[in-house]
Amino acid sequence: SLQAGLAVLLKAERLFHSSYHSQAVHIRPVCRVSAGPSSLPEHPRENPTFDASCLAVSWELRQTLTVVFDFFASGQGKKDWSLFKMFSRTLTDTCPLASQSKVYVDISPKNKEKELLEVSPPPTSVHEAVVQGDRKTYAVYDLLSPSLFNTSRSLNVQLKWKRPQDSSEMPIPTLHAQRYVGGYGLQTGEICTLIYNTHPYRAFPVILLETVPWYLRLYVHTLTIITKGKENKPS
């Protein structure tokens, strides 16, 4: 049973009724002992490559879960959110086996108006990073911090906007995509995927993962890629 750490939020009826959810399992070999001139770093995620000089190999298992909740579009008309509002549960304890357990909340100011939003309770720290060329600010909740949980052993992270926001003011993401189906049947049917980059001058590498039903037959030789009106040949 899921009774500790972030796993207590994994309530199936809430996750599967969200706007989007995706589960993934990643398995890869990582060199543990190398006979080369220098061993790999203490944290293998920084350099996972290995060659014939590797003497001992470990296998890394990484599981990810991505969920998108859209309360504004669902009719509630507010961008405020909380853990309880999304998952019908709150964090009650840390996982006893976890060496690290953190919650990051994007509190980046919009149009340089820092007074626009607030998070509660106060985070244990604030982290800044550059994501796709934009400087982001994150409120960090360290679940291993003894002072984070209150006397009721319940942590409900929530974000509130100090004044109402118009839906037209939602910022356009730097990278976004849309997909639609055209034509009909196997002869003229097609799937079109459009990827947009709204950055004024910077280009970004993009990895596109297409998920199609098992009954839909795709022909790789019909794949075409067009960028700025010119066709690119796929590798």
Side-chain angles (χ1 to χ4, degrees):
S1 59
L2 306 177
Q3 299 180 352
L6 296 174
V8 299
L9 302 178
L10 304 184
K11 190 176 181 181
E13 61 187 66
R14 301 293 293 179
L15 300 180
F16 296 150
H17 284 84
S18 59
S19 299
Y20 171 85
H21 69 273
S22 174
Q23 303 177 59
V25 177
H26 304 268
I27 302 176
R28 66 170 184 173
V30 176
C31 183
R32 187 173 70 251
V33 179
S34 177
S38 60
S39 300
L40 290 181
E42 185 176 336
H43 302 286
R45 189 178 298 276
E46 300 175 2
N47 187 1
T49 61
F50 60 93
D51 50 24
S53 63
C54 185
L55 301 179
V57 177
S58 295
W59 289 92
E60 178 189 83
L61 169 64
R62 183 160 56 97
Q63 297 173 284
T64 61
L65 172 63
T66 303
V67 185
V68 175
F69 294 93
D70 192 349
F71 293 110
F72 195 90
S74 63
Q76 300 184 18
K78 293 183 179 180
K79 292 191 291 183
D80 300 347
W81 59 264
S82 67
L83 291 182
F84 185 80
K85 190 175 182 180
M86 290 186 291
F87 301 101
S88 296
R89 296 181 180 181
T90 59
L91 296 175
T92 56
D93 204 350
T94 58
C95 176
L97 300 179
S99 58
Q100 187 182 55
S101 184
K102 296 181 180 180
V103 176
Y104 291 84
V105 180
D106 188 351
I107 57 173
S108 304
K110 176 186 176 184
N111 297 328
K112 298 183 179 180
E113 297 180 3
K114 295 185 178 181
E115 75 283 355
L116 207 57
L117 55 84
E118 62 180 359
V119 291
S120 61
T124 54
S125 63
V126 176
H127 176 70
E128 292 188 355
V130 178
V131 180
Q132 295 182 351
D134 297 330
R135 182 168 294 276
K136 296 289 187 178
T137 304
Y138 299 94
V140 182
Y141 294 87
D142 188 355
L143 271 61
L144 298 183
S145 176
S147 60
L148 186 59
F149 293 94
N150 54 29
T151 54
S152 62
R153 302 297 299 174
S154 176
L155 174 63
N156 183 29
V157 179
Q158 52 187 331
L159 182 144
K160 293 183 178 180
W161 292 81
K162 292 188 176 181
R163 62 173 180 265
Q165 293 294 296
D166 187 6
S167 60
S168 62
E169 297 181 3
M170 293 291 289
I172 300 177
T174 303
L175 293 175
H176 64 278
Q178 66 182 88
R179 183 174 65 170
Y180 62 89
V181 178
Y184 57 90
L186 292 178
Q187 184 175 359
T188 63
E190 62 180 8
I191 296 179
C192 298
T193 301
L194 305 179
I195 304 177
Y196 299 92
N197 177 15
T198 61
H199 199 279
Y201 58 87
R202 185 174 177 182
F204 301 97
V206 174
I207 298 178
L208 177 63
L209 173 63
E210 289 276 7
T211 304
V212 297
W214 62 268
Y215 53 80
L216 185 60
R217 181 173 297 178
L218 299 182
Y219 298 94
V220 179
H221 73 278
T222 64
L223 173 64
T224 58
I225 301 177
I226 299 177
T227 305
K228 296 182 179 180
K230 296 181 180 181
E231 183 174 350
N232 295 336
K233 292 184 178 180
S235 58

